[in-house]
Amino acid sequence: MTSSSEGDGVAPDAEREAPSAGDAERAPLPSAAATPARFPATIAGAPDEPDEVAAGAEPAESVPDPERLRARFGRPFEAGDVIFREGEPGTEAYLLEEGRVRLIKKVRGAERSLMVLKPGDLFGESALLGGAARWSTAIALSRGVALALDQGTLQNLVERNPAVALRIIKQLVGRLRDAEDQIEIMMLTDTQSKVVNALLKLAQQSRAASGSSSNGASFAISPMELSTRVGLDVDTVKRAVQQLREGQYLRVADERLEIPDIDGLRRLFSLLGLKDEIRGEQS
């Protein structure tokens, strides 16, 4: 891993106010305390004897030891470290154990945020293709640890652990869904509509994941994560969230957003769309 001083540019449309990537991640939403979330262990079900895996040994029946995997494959990093750069050869994929990582991509000379990763996320998966170049740059937003797995080790890990394979598939499907959502959001012209649309999708995903039939939802998201989803700078997102709080469409506490009435927020989105159509007809 290298230091971010070698070109860790800040995306002008997503983090203009942030003096550093770490500072931007810690900046809270309006009236929210920047309390980091706690996450469960992310490597349960992985083989605890990588040498035997490489040699083609039969799957072990015992519960693997995450600490042994971390000791063998763990790569610690500090806030601001560049884990890999866009265009470099991809030789290892990473499973994030602790901390947060931001993926950015150069578009016409400017760096744009793609997503913010949390513990349990796989990234750098271009290494699975063998010889493929990195599609993005990964920058640490905080101190943490990632498991660095080459193509052979990751393949054996997946083959020996169906639960790990299923989790990776679900994550890749989720990323495809998020990419489609982002395309839809980028097609909206109104700032408030972008934020409301993103919140509606997050609320629906949260409700589906919990199996709740209520008309409300609660989920954790940081200002940078939300700004990345909607393609706006963090200050603009904070102002939009503040307006929604004042309208009692949502509540904010400890980096969690609570939407008490999803249908009410959906009606607001329809009204914003109507307003945008009227504005377009008059112009």
Side-chain angles (χ1 to χ4, degrees), residues 30-112:
S31 302
T35 304
R38 302 298 300 170
F39 297 90
T42 60
I43 50 178
D48 64 340
E49 291 293 348
D51 288 341
E52 293 183 6
V53 173
E58 291 299 318
E61 297 296 333
S62 60
V63 177
D65 182 0
E67 291 304 320
R68 295 180 67 181
L69 271 177
R70 181 176 295 197
R72 188 178 294 266
F73 295 110
R75 298 281 183 85
F77 52 78
E78 299 291 332
D81 283 354
V82 176
I83 300 173
F84 55 75
R85 294 184 182 279
E86 182 178 354
E88 292 179 346
T91 58
E92 296 172 318
Y94 295 86
L95 276 172
L96 187 59
E97 285 290 292
E98 294 180 5
R100 293 190 179 185
V101 172
R102 175 168 57 105
L103 297 183
I104 63 175
K105 186 174 182 63
K106 278 193 174 182
V107 180
R108 294 181 178 177
E111 290 183 340
R112 311 288 183 180

Side-chain angles (χ1 to χ4, degrees), residues 179-188 197 201 269:
E180 292 175 345
D181 288 346
Q182 284 185 313
I183 291 173
E184 179 182 336
I185 291 170
M186 295 304 175
M187 293 176 69
L188 300 173
N197 183 277
K201 293 183 181 300
F269 180 69

Side-chain angles (χ1 to χ4, degrees), residues 80-210:
D81 283 354
V82 176
I83 300 173
F84 55 75
R85 294 184 182 279
E86 182 178 354
E88 292 179 346
T91 58
E92 296 172 318
Y94 295 86
L95 276 172
L96 187 59
E97 285 290 292
E98 294 180 5
R100 293 190 179 185
V101 172
R102 175 168 57 105
L103 297 183
I104 63 175
K105 186 174 182 63
K106 278 193 174 182
V107 180
R108 294 181 178 177
E111 290 183 340
R112 311 288 183 180
S113 289
L114 297 177
M115 66 181 66
V116 176
L117 304 168
K118 297 179 181 179
D121 284 346
L122 174 73
F123 64 106
E125 60 271 20
S126 60
L128 300 178
L129 300 180
R134 297 292 188 189
W135 302 328
S136 60
T137 297
I139 301 176
L141 292 173
S142 65
R143 175 181 295 180
V145 178
L147 299 184
L149 307 171
D150 61 30
Q151 185 178 11
T153 301
L154 185 58
Q155 181 175 338
N156 281 308
L157 179 66
V158 169
E159 290 176 351
R160 289 163 55 96
N161 294 270
V164 173
L166 180 59
R167 188 174 64 195
I168 291 175
I169 291 172
K170 286 183 177 179
Q171 185 177 129
L172 295 178
V173 171
R175 285 194 186 175
L176 178 59
R177 177 201 61 206
D178 289 344
E180 292 175 345
D181 288 346
Q182 284 185 313
I183 291 173
E184 179 182 336
I185 291 170
M186 295 304 175
M187 293 176 69
L188 300 173
T189 58
D190 177 64
T191 295
Q192 195 76 342
S193 293
K194 290 175 181 284
V195 174
V196 171
N197 183 277
L199 293 176
L200 280 172
K201 293 183 181 300
L202 289 167
Q204 291 163 357
Q205 292 171 20
S206 174
R207 190 169 60 174
S210 65

